[in-house]
Amino acid sequence: MTAQLIDGNALSRQLRADVAQRTAVLKAKGITPGLAVIIVGLDPASHVYVGKKVEACAQAGLHSVLEQYPATLAEAELLARVHALNIDPAIHGILVQLPLPAHIDAHKVIEAIAPSKDVDGFHIASAGALMTGTPGFWSCTPYGCIKLLQSTGINLKGKHAVVIGRSNNVGKPMALMLLQKNATVTVCHSATANLKAHTLQADVIVAAVGRRNTLTADMVKPGAVVIDVGMNRNDAGKLCGDVDFAGVKEVAGWITPVPGGVGPMTVTMLLVNTVEAAECVALESTRVAAK
Ligand code: GUN
């Protein structure tokens, strides 16, 4: 193995310790950061993810509320819950777990969340803020990838980054965040003519496709940094990413494992965003008190 491992568990521990410390400071001022998590239906994977989010809140001292609804919940009822949470002072962040049942318009629900509580960074206001380089919540998975990249000590300025995948939740915001960090960015996707020709030029590769073995050793420039966002299962049922880890680790300079890379960072950045949302409220109440 030539590549150095980028350890998402270790980085998460560090960042979560910082969140816990910031939470303690807020609590001393009478504000407990609060996250509301809404889940609709019984999708087992979604319940596992949501469980991790709620558990992480408790470990860092945040308040969390888990609202579970049957798959038959009416869209109007879900919107009413979001509206109630928008004006609940104990709640600083709202997360509606996706996917939602087909009869509910997920876009409408996300747009109902107050941008000041959009700790998932999925609202159009958050996406627009990212695009224009103005303050707003960055969506958790690509934000976690930026933190993993920064943990290597490599400056992204002037680097050529290739993002594979163009989803609204990962690929597109990832490209914008890398641009914000002054990288030169190429976005590849399912219609890209010659993926390998692009990835071989890359100093940084982020694979976010959802298909295993999308990136193999022959597609990687020696020394490149490889971030694997994929969460797939191999034939033996074992968790694996989009990157052929065994092959690519012999060529890359740095690589994230699956599991233990990007996965824990998504939950960590949710905590970071939630504590930041609470800090904004604390700042606002200080301003009001000073009047
Ligand atoms: N479903 C899978 N990942 C996520 C996520 O990060 N946020 C939400 N809200 N739903 C998801």
Side-chain angles (χ1 to χ4, degrees), residues 232-251:
N232 313 299
R233 299 261 166 204
N234 67 15
D235 291 335
K238 206 173 144 241
L239 199 64
C240 65
D242 292 350
V243 175
D244 170 27
F245 183 83
V248 172
K249 74 177 176 17
E250 303 300 333
V251 183

Side-chain angles (χ1 to χ4, degrees), residues 127-140:
L130 170 61
M131 206 201 80
T132 52
T134 50
F137 292 113
W138 280 12
S139 74
C140 301

Side-chain angles (χ1 to χ4, degrees), residues 135-154:
F137 292 113
W138 280 12
S139 74
C140 301
T141 299
Y143 191 12
C145 294
I146 290 287
K147 291 286 179 191
L148 288 164
L149 286 166
Q150 288 175 332
S151 76
T152 65
I154 293 168

Side-chain angles (χ1 to χ4, degrees), residues 29 279 281-291:
K29 293 179 186 165
E279 284 169 349
V281 169
L283 207 61
E284 207 47 52
S285 54
T286 311
R287 281 201 199 106
V288 171
K291 281 204 171 92

